Amino acid sequence: MAITTNAICNSFKKELMQATHNFGTTSATGNKFKLAMYLTSATLGASTTSFTSDGQVSSSGYTTGGKALVNSGTKVSSAVAITNFSNVSFTGVTLSARGALIYNSSATNKAVCVLDFGGTKTATAGTFTVQFPAFTTAAAIIRIGNA
């Protein structure tokens, strides 16, 4: 069991073609995306298809299912379409996490992507923040471009 490297889920790629996911920035136009935190024992990777509680963090101050994400919107520049999220913080928590899963809670918890922290990260009676990269075509968390 392991969290494999950062991966856009294969099912997500297919579901984009089926108009399952909407990255609009308001509740009227977009879906609700969440970030759930996972232990080293979790099995997550490109083949993950939906949110699972197996291997999820279970610690003081952490709520099962994680936290809602705030979408930064979408744009296309230099033939690359991107979307991103604002940083998310879990406050007043004591937890250890190896990675996370972004999933679409508006679409029966379908998986979007797996984040591997590269090692176990911890917070003790404090704040655990997941920082997302810049909202640029070279860095955004989700980028679609020509091969």
Side-chain angles (χ1 to χ4, degrees):
M1 293 194 211
I3 297 173
T4 57
T5 188
N6 297 323
I8 298 291
C9 297
N10 293 330
S11 57
F12 171 73
K13 295 172 190 176
K14 179 181 175 187
E15 291 158 1
L16 280 177
M17 301 301 164
Q18 298 168 334
T20 301
H21 303 278
N22 183 334
F23 288 92
T25 57
T26 68
S27 59
T29 62
N31 292 155
K32 182 176 180 180
F33 295 88
K34 295 182 84 176
L35 181 127
M37 309 284 284
Y38 289 88
L39 304 166
T40 302
S41 62
T43 302
L44 298 172
S47 63
T48 301
T49 59
S50 64
F51 165 79
T52 178
S53 59
D54 293 345
Q56 187 179 189
V57 166
S58 175
S59 298
S60 171
Y62 178 82
T63 303
T64 298
K67 280 191 118 173
L69 292 170
V70 176
N71 189 334
S72 299
T74 60
K75 72 178 180 179
V76 175
S77 180
S78 301
V80 178
I82 63 172
T83 192
N84 210 17
F85 300 99
S86 298
N87 296 344
V88 62
S89 294
F90 299 84
T91 56
V93 297
T94 296
L95 65 81
S96 295
R98 168 59 197 232
L101 175 70
I102 296 174
Y103 67 98
N104 186 342
S105 62
S106 297
T108 59
N109 297 333
K110 293 184 182 297
V112 174
C113 68
V114 173
L115 307 177
D116 179 356
F117 298 156
T120 300
K121 307 298 181 189
T122 62
T124 304
T127 301
F128 190 109
T129 300
V130 176
Q131 291 182 304
F132 285 92
F135 186 51
T136 67
T137 57
I141 197 74
I142 299 173
R143 296 168 294 197
I144 301 171
N146 297 333

